[in-house]
Amino acid sequence: MDTLYNKRIIVGISGSIAAYKSAELTRRLRDAGADVRVVMTRSAMEFITPLTLQALSGRAVHTELMDADAEAAMGHIELARWADLILIAPASADFIARLSGGHANDLLSAICLASQTQLAIAPAMNQAMWDNAATQANIATLKQREVSILGPAQGSQACGETGPGRMLEPEQLLKICNNLFQSGLMSGQHVLITAGPTREPIDPVRYISNRSSGKMGFAIAEAAIEAGADVTLIAGPVQLDTPERVTRVDVETASQMQQAVLKHAGACDIFIATAAVADYRPGLQAVNKIKKQADEMQLKLVKTHDILAAVAALAKAPFTVGFAAETDKLLEYARSKMERKNLNMIVANPVGPTRGFDQDTNELDILWPNGHIHLDLNSKKTLARKLITIIAERAHAIDTTENTG
Ligand code: PMT
């Protein structure tokens, strides 16, 4: 599977003769379906022009940190949040040193410092510079920070010397980038996910619903696929494409969602309920369109069944993860929901008119009986990947305790 499809990748180019290879790399990433934005350092522009990269990426190239126009269009913080992966290719010895030192004195280094997404570098330099203790110490620091170091390759160099320091070929980098998105953490697991809103009909043309877009749930489905899981996604009415290899079941009402979930819950290992299911539905659905008559009308609502609690109460319950959307007392309400519904984990997100619902970004607090992790504001795709890693680890820990205890 091409895991690069729809991925947002920043190709960062620093000053090295290998910068010419970034043109081919950018073209190949786009051919694989990735959305690519190129960021160049000043010295990179001595080797290759932004115009070439603009033509190949199909987007304006970002070069300046202190450029009011560029910052207004998509500033360094937005770029940092936008990316699913930052790939610095080529990464010069100087750029590696600045990265390891946490510098932010140009656009590319500032983006790297501001981003919490995956960072990979493809070093390119003279073999003596690569072997130098300073470079090796910088590389060791970056490895400790979980930066992926891709290469370098051995061979003849532009300076006439032979040794380690050649940037990997675009084809090799493409393969590695594909693998970066595949963790295998959930291989062999069946993951059931709900996403989006439900619609509760009042009459044939009106309904009660909410602003959930499904983005959070769909991002989690994609991340679970990348982690090697079999994914069934029960989706309320949303305008989103189905991620590759996900089995999608479309539903409309809370009751349809409940039926679909219970049909699949017995065979799943992990259940993640991101859907914003209506808590109440109209008691009666009018057969015909309700006519405007009195100045006031009352709608009688009845409680819907709690799908999440029903799954957690199954005799052979999967590892069950709920979401809590709260406008206040976030952690207190979330923890009490987790306890009341007997969940293995709950993911709390603060919501409001411009937060959580129908946004590309989110902020999560992940709670389980004896633990808590906060994930700062980031793209839903990046958060989904981090969440899937945490769920896989927690589910594995519980499994191990049960099998040995
Ligand atoms: O879809 P997006 O636009 O990307 O927005 C994402 C989101 C904000 C909708 C998502 O991150 C989120 O918080 N989803 C849960 C919203 C919600 O309904 O929370 P709740 O606190 O009301 O419900 C608690 C949990 O019970 C949820 O896991 C919900 O799926 C589940 N539930 C609720 C009612 C019900 N009848 N059955 C349920 O299973």
Side-chain angles (χ1 to χ4, degrees), residues 49-379:
T49 69
L51 199 59
T52 307
L53 276 310
Q54 178 176 317
L56 291 168
S57 67
R59 289 185 181 274
V61 170
H62 305 261
T63 56
E64 297 302 322
L65 181 58
M66 300 299 177
D67 175 341
D69 288 345
E71 283 287 300
M74 197 175 196
H76 64 286
I77 300 292
E78 274 95 347
L79 277 167
R81 282 192 195 134
W82 172 86
D84 297 317
L85 169 68
I86 300 176
L87 170 61
I88 314 289
S92 66
D94 178 67
F95 190 80
I96 289 171
R98 288 196 288 125
L99 198 59
S100 138
H103 293 208
N105 53 352
D106 69 357
L107 180 62
L108 189 54
S109 55
I111 290 172
C112 293
L113 199 63
S115 180
Q116 296 182 337
T117 200
Q118 293 191 79
L119 177 58
I121 64 167
M125 67 197 74
N126 162 274
Q127 53 91 22
M129 290 167 83
W130 172 254
D131 280 337
N132 190 291
T135 304
Q136 288 308 310
N138 290 332
I139 290 289
T141 304
L142 295 178
K143 277 185 183 163
Q144 244 177 23
R145 288 188 207 141
E146 296 184 1
V147 175
S148 305
I149 315 293
L150 318 183
Q154 298 260 354
S156 62
Q157 303 197 303
C159 53
E161 296 178 14
T162 302
R166 282 174 62 93
M167 182 172 120
L168 293 185
E169 295 305 316
E171 198 177 327
Q172 294 170 296
L173 289 175
L174 199 76
K175 229 184 222 166
I176 299 172
C177 287
N178 252 311
N179 292 341
L180 284 178
F181 286 106
Q182 279 177 334
S183 69
L185 273 173
M186 284 188 175
S187 55
Q189 305 264 293
H190 187 179
V191 179
L192 180 64
I193 299 169
T194 63
T198 61
R199 277 182 189 166
E200 310 303 326
I202 298 170
D203 69 14
V205 293
R206 302 183 178 97
Y207 54 78
I208 296 175
S209 190
N210 59 65
R211 292 191 297 106
S212 169
S213 62
K215 286 179 187 170
M216 191 71 240
F218 275 58
I220 292 173
E222 196 172 335
I225 284 284
E226 286 166 8
D230 261 351
V231 178
T232 304
L233 177 62
I234 316 286
V238 295
Q239 306 298 316
L240 296 174
D241 292 335
T242 313
E244 238 187 289
R245 286 209 291 148
V246 165
T247 306
R248 173 171 171 176
V249 179
D250 284 320
V251 296
E252 195 136 325
T253 63
S255 151
Q256 289 167 2
M257 186 171 275
Q258 182 191 23
Q259 280 175 31
V261 166
L262 292 179
K263 185 171 160 202
H264 291 89
C268 81
D269 304 290
I270 296 171
F271 174 54
I272 310 172
T274 70
V277 185
D279 290 321
Y280 291 90
R281 63 173 174 79
L284 283 176
Q285 180 187 345
V287 179
N288 296 315
K289 183 177 171 223
I290 299 171
K291 290 286 168 210
K292 182 167 62 180
Q293 284 164 344
D295 284 348
E296 287 183 5
M297 75 172 279
Q298 288 196 338
L299 206 55
K300 185 176 172 197
L301 301 178
V302 295
K303 245 188 188 168
T304 57
H305 293 291
D306 194 309
I307 305 169
L308 180 60
V311 172
L314 289 174
K316 276 195 79 183
F319 184 88
T320 306
V321 182
F323 263 68
E326 309 290 351
T327 52
D328 58 324
K329 297 190 185 162
L330 180 71
L331 299 183
E332 184 187 326
Y333 286 157
R335 199 166 277 283
S336 100
K337 261 178 206 171
M338 175 171 70
E339 285 162 8
R340 202 171 60 243
K341 299 190 187 196
N342 199 21
L343 309 176
N344 297 104
M345 184 182 274
I346 196 149
V347 183
N349 45 185
V351 293
T354 55
R355 297 178 88 180
F357 282 82
D358 200 14
Q359 306 289 317
D360 289 330
T361 56
N362 208 355
E363 188 182 339
L364 305 179
D365 277 281
I366 305 166
L367 310 175
W368 60 93
N370 305 310
H372 175 196
I373 290 181
H374 174 80
L375 299 180
D376 283 340
L377 188 75
N378 213 321
S379 74

